[in-house]
Amino acid sequence: MLQQIFSHTPLYVWAILGFLVYRGVLASRAREVTLRKLCIIPLVMLALSLSGVHGSFGLAGVAPFAWAAGALAGAVLAWSLTRTDAIVAIPARGSVQRPGSWVPLVLMMSIFCMKYAVAVTLAIAPAYAHAPGFMMPVCLAYGCFSGIFLGGLLRTVAVYRQAHMTSGPQGAAV
């Protein structure tokens, strides 16, 4: 059965997996990142998450509300847990120095595996798409994962903006 599942998986899915692993490994090392590049993964995760909700459950009914509740919870969690003392803003270059962490890779693999498992489950048992006991936790989790990425991004941007406002364009360490 696993062989059938993997063989029926479109090639673009494996390309997305490769991209996410690559970006997760990059995130494991301390590095300077422009604000624009810092937005890539949260936006990719947002797209994967919303496409999962839309493709599996539609955007009518309770699914988008469950997703939004999860996203808000995840964003608040990430905002409160992001270590601002480890972020160095470099306004002169429009970038930040971020510490390395394996957490983004774990989160990316979690949402990827969850999206994959949900797609397989719905291919085998399509009726689950209408089962609140399946739909609600899935949409909450999709939203929470997206919220974690967005909350971390927003916290980093807030640190950057604060450094930019207090030091001007020459740069600052936060």
Side-chain angles (χ1 to χ4, degrees):
M1 183 167 175
L2 281 177
Q3 183 180 4
Q4 282 187 325
I5 291 170
F6 291 138
S7 68
H8 286 89
T9 300
L11 287 178
Y12 73 87
V13 172
W14 303 120
I16 291 171
L17 176 61
F19 172 75
L20 294 176
V21 168
Y22 169 74
R23 295 297 298 200
V25 170
L26 278 180
S28 72
R29 295 182 220 129
R31 69 200 191 291
E32 183 179 335
V33 181
T34 64
L35 291 179
R36 181 172 284 178
K37 284 187 179 179
L38 202 58
C39 294
I40 292 172
I41 289 301
L43 291 177
V44 168
M45 292 295 101
L46 179 68
L48 283 174
S49 177
L50 287 174
S51 76
V53 172
H54 179 262
S56 300
F57 310 110
L59 294 179
V62 73
F65 295 106
W67 181 90
L72 181 61
V76 168
L77 178 68
W79 180 275
S80 65
L81 294 179
T82 299
R83 288 187 47 220
T84 58
D85 62 329
I87 300 168
V88 178
I90 310 167
R93 294 197 295 254
S95 63
V96 293
Q97 178 75 32
R98 303 246 344 204
S101 173
W102 289 102
V103 172
L105 178 63
V106 170
L107 290 170
M108 287 185 277
M109 293 302 96
S110 297
I111 196 169
F112 179 88
C113 291
M114 183 176 173
K115 189 167 171 17
Y116 193 87
V118 168
V120 170
T121 300
L122 292 177
I124 294 169
Y128 280 12
H130 305 291
F134 182 77
M135 177 187 0
M136 293 292 288
V138 167
C139 292
L140 278 167
Y142 280 162
C144 189
F145 284 129
S146 291
I148 289 170
F149 281 104
L150 291 171
L153 172 65
L154 292 174
R155 185 67 155 167
T156 301
V157 169
V159 168
Y160 174 86
R161 289 178 53 96
Q162 180 65 32
H164 185 68
M165 289 172 28
T166 58
S167 69
Q170 70 272 12
V174 176

